Amino acid sequence: MSSNNARTAIVTGASKGLGAGVAKALAETGAAVVVNYRGDAAGAERVVADITGKGGRAIAVQADVAGRDDVRRLFDRAREAYGPVDVLVNNAGVATFTPLSGITEEQFQRTMATNLLGTILSTQALAAQDDIDSASIINVSTAGTVTHPAYAALYVASKSAVNAFTVVAAKELGPRGIRVNAIMPGPSDTEGTRTMGYAGSEQQGQDIAATPLGRTGTPDDYGPLVAFLASEDARWITGDVILASGGLR
Ligand SMILES: NC(=O)c1ccc[n+]([C@@H]2O[C@H](COP(=O)([O-])OP(=O)(O)OC[C@H]3O[C@@H](n4cnc5c(N)ncnc54)[C@H](OP(=O)(O)O)[C@@H]3O)[C@@H](O)[C@H]2O)c1
């Protein structure tokens, strides 16, 4: 994997699922990692223990990415522990699947606040550091912005906004050496999708049949890609939104 030695990374929503896989991969490539979580302190501490048990550097920091004060505190804690933050993975997200007629204002606020506002606030906090001369931001979108599945209107709309935000932010932050990219994961086996009853469902069977590589993703599938995008090896890549879905499109 690419090297991220001497980098300080924040991975939002890393107490489980894709974020946990990404946090471990970044630590394996040398980054000091801040494992952000909202409510699952035990999950975050397990991820930290996994990393430090292998000789890596990590701490867990609670913060709700949808709140500016929390995000400021998250960055302050990261900087106190490891210095300026030069890798940010905006992974914290909620997936809302509901028929169009059932979308509520509460679901709208929660989904947009976590997926879009959280990405914006964290990106602002990274860019507000005046002591970095390069950085890499990786936003976690979804392959759903390409496949447009039924019952995912709100979720896909929020992540399509993240894709658009990625491209615009890359233009504004490029002159400061800050790269901004997004990945679009395919359906993956995580605590989140298990809670939704995805594993073993008819939908999972249909997705696997439509996936050229013939399986569901795992958290381990995304770590190497994010580690690459974070690293100097990806120095010429910004404003890109990359499909990582086993070919599902
Ligand atoms: N799994 C998939 O099939 C799939 C496919 C495409 C894209 N994605 C995207 O990948 C990301 C991770 O998905 P996942 O399946 O791994 O989810 P997950 O298993 O449900 O885990 C979600 C993580 O996000 C954190 N989180 C949620 N709201 C937060 C907030 N307001 N502030 C801080 N952290 C918050 C949770 O923290 P706590 O548990 O500590 O509260 C948890 O660590 C999401 O952005 C999702 O949209 C997932």
Side-chain angles (χ1 to χ4, degrees):
M1 272 196 271
S2 306
S3 170
N4 286 300
N5 276 335
R7 288 179 192 269
T8 298
I10 291 178
V11 183
T12 67
S15 59
K16 53 172 71 75
L18 264 56
V22 165
K24 291 174 193 173
L26 285 170
E28 273 173 31
T29 58
V33 180
V34 174
V35 175
N36 161 250
Y37 66 99
R38 183 183 52 182
D40 184 6
E45 290 301 345
R46 272 195 299 276
V47 176
V48 168
D50 189 288
I51 291 171
T52 55
K54 291 176 181 152
R57 291 174 298 157
I59 55 168
V61 179
Q62 192 282 332
D64 183 339
V65 296
R68 192 181 288 282
D69 290 347
D70 272 30
V71 170
R72 195 170 289 140
R73 185 169 46 75
L74 171 63
F75 274 76
D76 286 349
R77 286 285 295 112
R79 289 173 58 88
E80 279 162 29
Y82 301 125
V85 177
D86 52 8
V87 176
L88 167 65
V89 184
N90 284 313
N91 166 81
V94 291
T96 315
F97 290 94
T98 178
L100 203 50
S101 58
I103 296 172
T104 64
E105 286 172 82
E106 189 278 332
Q107 284 174 337
F108 176 89
Q109 303 295 358
R110 196 168 65 90
T111 306
M112 288 298 189
T114 308
N115 298 359
L116 181 58
L117 181 60
T119 297
I120 293 172
L121 293 175
S122 298
T123 300
Q124 286 177 324
L126 181 135
Q129 302 174 110
D130 53 16
D131 52 359
I132 51 168
D133 53 18
S134 70
S136 176
I137 299 172
I138 299 105
N139 297 327
V140 178
S141 174
T142 174
T145 61
V146 174
T147 59
H148 298 112
Y151 310 118
L154 180 53
Y155 177 56
V156 167
S158 73
K159 294 291 192 176
S160 295
V162 168
N163 293 355
F165 174 77
T166 299
V167 182
V168 176
K171 288 185 179 168
E172 288 191 35
L173 299 178
R176 288 186 52 203
I178 301 173
R179 297 183 292 103
V180 190
N181 294 289
I183 66 167
M184 296 180 283
S188 303
D189 183 24
T190 65
E191 286 82 344
T193 54
R194 261 178 247 154
T195 302
M196 284 189 277
Y198 182 72
S201 67
E202 195 182 331
Q203 184 62 53
Q204 184 187 34
Q206 290 169 7
D207 289 342
I208 291 173
T211 300
L213 293 182
R215 63 174 174 83
T216 296
T218 74
D220 291 341
D221 288 328
Y222 305 100
L225 173 59
V226 172
F228 164 71
L229 288 170
S231 78
E232 185 61 14
D233 288 348
R235 61 189 168 274
W236 201 227
I237 302 174
T238 195
D240 214 342
V241 181
I242 299 168
L243 188 62
S245 64
L248 178 68
R249 62 176 68 237

